[in-house]
Amino acid sequence: MTTRRTRPAPRPPEGTPPPAELARQARTVLADAVRIAHWASDDANPGPAPLTADALERAAAALDLSPARVRAGWDRARLAGLVELHGDTVRPGWRLRAWKRDDSAVLRGWVALFDAWSLVHAAPRDIEATTVAEAVEAVPQVLSLLQLSAGPVTVPALLDLLGQRVAELHEERCEVAYGPHLPAEPAPAPTARPGEAPADLNALLLDWALEGLAAVGALTLGSGHATLTPLGNWAVWVKLEQICVAAQSPAGNIEQPAADMLLGCARLTPGPARAEYRAWLAARPVGSAVAELLAVARGEDALLRGLAFEALRVVGAPAEPVVRSVVTDVSLRPYALLWLAEYEGADPDDAQEVLSREEATWLWVDTAAAVADHGETGLLVRHLDTAVQGTVPALLDEVRAVGHPRTVQVLVALAAAHPDPALAKAVRRAAFQVHTGGA
């Protein structure tokens, strides 16, 4: 175990309001969303997303809001995690339940909305999705300039930066090899509307991005300039700080592939590990980061499998469809079911109840394999107490039946580690029976 030098807690930029004031501002931005979330949670049948015409009319009448505000508030409620959709059923999210008393829950909800700004404000029509995606990927650079400037920045300066970043992204894509002997094809230029130059397209995309960020309360627009709000300034600072913290870690986790990053976090306590996960995720497109984590989870290392799902907990809502898609994978099913249960609001201590006895046993063996490969002897012995069976004979019977590929190695390691000779003998016998296929 390496010794990590602790870093003093960073201070936000001078002039940043205290968390209570930031939370008050976030509550103001999301006021309509909270009202609509309460209405949807109490209503017998609000319908799916987007709201049906009937539900829209009922919500507008009940809340005395225009249909447009109801529609916008409903989108924000979903993106901020204030409501959760299960088919046509709407449930209040945990943030909604904690909204009045927990400032950190409010700020996390607003940051989720901030991260989803490109979904809040519809992209310009008739522009290819890849071109829009490049603009979204370039926006963090624009936000960094706004944050470092600590005041208004002119639109031409922002446009120049956006154009430079988009050009860099094109250059990076040109460097991808398409085969051992074939040169990469040049990346296509941004697709503009008929008669529109790429520079005009960048200006259109910048206007869209600034309007989207203003819509979520991250910045204000003036005549020819943009300025971060206190909330936006704080959020950008937090994301930059997370990247800096990870970059200063001994392992340099932010630059590592997922497997190396997870191993670098294996010895950290939960809080610092989550900070490392956030920084690693912040430096990558969400989709590719989730895919990389799941690829690691499908590997043979049980420790990395568990850690990959811990990192996916930090991802939150964007990971839900992918996690839900792997519940049919035997090796990932217990982890996916627990992830989904906690995502849907279950207490982590109670989430185990969603697992069948066989799934819980599989998870017990998988966790024991992780301990055997990476942990200490005493930890493997204590792992016995976490089994759902309650007795060692019952555990051995069900472990033999569950069919985990690491069963023999786990039982052999447990027998070697356990101080009770009689119990160790029984475990060795079970390992032999699994190995030979005996009863």
Side-chain angles (χ1 to χ4, degrees), residues 117-263:
W117 67 266
S118 60
L119 302 178
V120 170
H121 189 59
R125 301 178 65 180
D126 304 327
I127 298 178
E128 284 190 357
T130 52
T131 302
V132 173
E134 286 174 348
V136 172
E137 195 172 345
V139 161
Q141 298 281 85
V142 172
L143 289 169
S144 296
L145 175 60
L146 285 162
Q147 198 271 338
L148 292 171
S149 299
V153 179
T154 63
V155 169
L158 297 175
L159 181 58
D160 183 55
L161 180 60
L162 180 74
Q164 288 179 34
R165 182 58 184 144
V166 169
E168 288 171 1
L169 292 171
H170 281 235
E171 232 176 274
E172 291 168 8
R173 283 164 176 73
C174 285
E175 294 171 359
V176 178
Y178 284 80
H181 305 295
L182 296 176
E185 295 181 5
T191 303
R193 295 167 175 168
E196 192 170 42
D200 296 331
L201 179 61
N202 283 340
L204 182 67
L205 289 169
L206 177 65
D207 287 344
W208 164 66
L210 295 178
E211 289 167 4
L213 291 162
V216 300
L219 54 78
T220 57
L221 298 175
S223 179
H225 64 265
T227 310
L228 286 177
T229 64
L231 271 174
N233 188 65
W234 166 80
V236 176
W237 170 78
V238 167
K239 292 179 182 298
L240 290 172
E241 186 62 29
Q242 287 170 350
I243 293 172
C244 291
V245 168
Q248 292 175 10
S249 66
N253 289 325
I254 191 172
E255 299 175 358
Q256 300 299 323
D260 293 340
M261 180 274 294
L262 293 171
L263 281 176

Side-chain angles (χ1 to χ4, degrees), residues 5 29 32 59 83-84 107 149 171 178 191 207-208 233 235 278 287 292 309-310 315 323 327 329 334 353 395 406 433:
R5 187 174 296 174
V29 172
D32 283 355
V83 292
E84 297 169 359
L107 291 173
S149 299
E171 232 176 274
Y178 284 80
T191 303
D207 287 344
W208 164 66
N233 188 65
R278 290 190 188 98
E292 191 176 346
F309 275 86
E310 286 300 318
V315 177
V323 173
V327 293
D329 186 317
E353 296 174 5
L395 171 64
R406 294 291 305 278
Q433 290 169 341

